Amino acid sequence: MSAVTKAVLAISGGVGGAKLALGLADSLPPGKLHVLVNTGDDFRHMGLHISPDIDTLLYTLSERSNALQGWGLADESWNVMETLEGLDGDTWFRLGDRDLATHLWRTGRIDRGDKLLQITGQLARQMGIESHIHPMCEEPVRTTVHCEGRDLPFQQYFVKEQCGPAVTGFSFEGIAQARPNEQVMAGLNDRSFSSIVVCPSNPFVSIDPILQIPALWQALRDNQAPVMLVSPIVAGMAIKGPAAKMMAELGVPVTALGVAQHYANRYPGLIDVFVIDVSDATLAPEIASLGMEVTVAPTLMRNRQDKQRLAKIVLDLVLV
Ligand code: GDP
């Protein structure tokens, strides 16, 4: 374990972010990991409030996630979906029986006026998670994917249309009114974090919605804690999901350099250290010319050991 004693703040979308978050949670003393999570993917479906990225974090950190499927819970049953199919109901967004309990319980609490922050904290405690999972904000922020000729709500693009349409841009409805998670802001003001880790999540639809909450990225940049980014693009490819396809459609180079340019252009001075994969080592000098330190490391997280190894590399960067 590194000598980090203060808390660490991770910034995450869903699956890619949760992988590193699990490695960080394993590598830090209990309760020292805080994860600020995207809620731009949240939506109401069949009357339920669904928070896909928060649930990915909850299920991953409590070791309940379905690793094969890549989303949802392990040991899941599908009675509700199968019955709905028989009724010719809405089944494009798959919700397992046990997963549905999370959404039913969360929706009941939201409808009674409780905050997402408290609801998420209670879910985490009930699942035995010692890390702190923070929704990026309380206000509804909804990602719209602008495609050629059409604007699609995020889940319609991502799940219903399986990321098929070519994207031209993104917008985050409600972001101007959003205020960053109060506990994370308090931690930043109190200088509670020894480091800030931007996980290998989709830059456009997982991390941008968080960083574009008014004043948040400047608060992260101006904090004393170094900001480390792990590349979600490895050898010109995304490990999972549409990040590489989106970059190509937006005319951004589909490389770790393209990721670095995105962050350098949108959030000047935010990223102190960019961790790129060993397979991308030749890109290091050009990335460094953007004003970031570059660390080359194995960033593929295929198993728990890989996650812990990458987490340790990232945490140890604070000490050098
Ligand atoms: P989503 O919200 O579930 O789509 O997940 P995220 O936005 O958190 O993560 C998607 C990104 O994670 C993709 O760009 C992947 O390339 C990246 N990713 C997934 N697994 C890994 C991994 O093991 N290593 C690295 N470096 N990136 C990964």
Side-chain angles (χ1 to χ4, degrees):
M1 163 140 21
S2 79
V4 176
T5 50
K6 282 165 95 176
V8 169
L9 176 65
I11 298 179
S12 176
V15 175
K19 282 183 178 180
L20 184 57
L22 182 60
L24 290 166
D26 283 348
S27 310
L28 287 164
K32 290 291 184 185
L33 176 65
H34 293 251
V35 192
L36 184 62
V37 186
N38 173 40
T39 56
D41 301 0
D42 287 19
F43 73 133
R44 278 253 168 185
H45 182 59
M46 296 192 300
L48 299 175
H49 179 108
I50 300 180
S51 297
D53 287 356
I54 287 178
D55 291 344
T56 298
L57 260 298
L58 288 170
Y59 296 162
T60 304
L61 293 185
S62 64
E63 300 179 56
R64 284 156 212 244
S65 62
N66 186 329
L68 269 184
Q69 191 173 260
W71 50 271
L73 285 160
D75 303 322
E76 188 58 284
S77 60
W78 300 94
N79 295 307
V80 174
M81 281 293 115
E82 281 162 19
T83 310
L84 266 175
E85 265 157 23
L87 294 169
D88 205 16
D90 212 354
T91 56
W92 60 271
F93 196 87
R94 308 291 295 165
L95 295 166
D97 298 333
R98 293 187 334 120
D99 188 27
L100 269 166
T102 308
H103 310 310
L104 283 164
W105 186 82
R106 173 188 287 124
T107 306
R109 295 274 313 257
I110 287 178
D111 290 349
R112 286 204 300 276
D114 292 343
K115 285 182 159 184
L116 196 54
L117 182 151
Q118 281 143 3
I119 298 168
T120 307
Q122 199 169 334
L123 279 168
R125 281 192 297 281
Q126 280 161 348
M127 294 185 194
I129 297 170
E130 288 174 296
S131 303
H132 308 272
I133 302 177
H134 303 283
M136 67 185 199
C137 60
E138 289 298 321
E139 297 79 6
V141 172
R142 296 295 172 258
T143 299
T144 296
V145 183
H146 302 290
C147 304
E148 282 164 354
R150 286 187 309 157
D151 293 338
L152 299 176
F154 182 76
Q155 297 301 345
Q156 187 177 336
Y157 163 81
F158 194 68
V159 179
K160 202 170 192 176
E161 308 214 7
Q162 300 194 355
C163 312
V167 304
T168 54
F170 310 92
S171 54
F172 311 115
E173 275 76 44
I175 198 119
Q177 289 76 44
R179 281 163 303 145
N181 182 290
E182 60 194 37
Q183 293 177 349
V184 168
M185 287 311 276
L188 288 172
N189 289 334
D190 295 347
R191 300 182 158 231
S192 304
F193 303 119
S194 60
S195 60
I196 298 165
V197 182
V198 181
C199 291
S201 287
N202 187 308
F204 309 104
V205 292
S206 292
I207 302 297
D208 278 353
I210 304 176
L211 296 183
Q212 289 183 23
I213 294 176
L216 181 61
W217 78 263
Q218 291 90 343
L220 295 167
R221 181 196 57 192
D222 297 340
N223 201 263
Q224 94 298 344
V227 180
M228 270 91 67
L229 165 69
V230 177
S231 181
I233 296 292
V234 175
M237 286 181 291
I239 310 302
K240 180 189 167 286
K245 179 174 180 284
M246 287 172 170
M247 290 172 88
E249 289 161 0
L250 294 170
V252 177
V254 190
T255 60
L257 175 63
V259 174
Q261 285 166 340
H262 172 81
Y263 282 93
N265 292 339
R266 290 227 175 163
Y267 313 107
L270 174 66
I271 305 299
D272 296 301
V273 185
F274 189 24
V275 181
I276 62 171
D277 193 74
V278 282
S279 59
D280 294 319
T282 53
L283 298 171
E286 221 177 324
I287 294 173
S289 75
L290 298 171
M292 304 170 188
E293 269 182 49
V294 183
T295 291
V296 179
T299 70
L300 268 186
M301 295 175 280
R302 284 157 300 203
N303 53 41
R304 192 93 173 224
Q305 271 174 323
D306 288 349
K307 291 170 191 151
Q308 292 166 351
R309 181 184 54 189
L310 181 57
K312 190 170 181 325
I313 290 169
V314 171
L315 293 173
D316 284 348
L317 288 171
V318 183
L319 304 176
V320 293

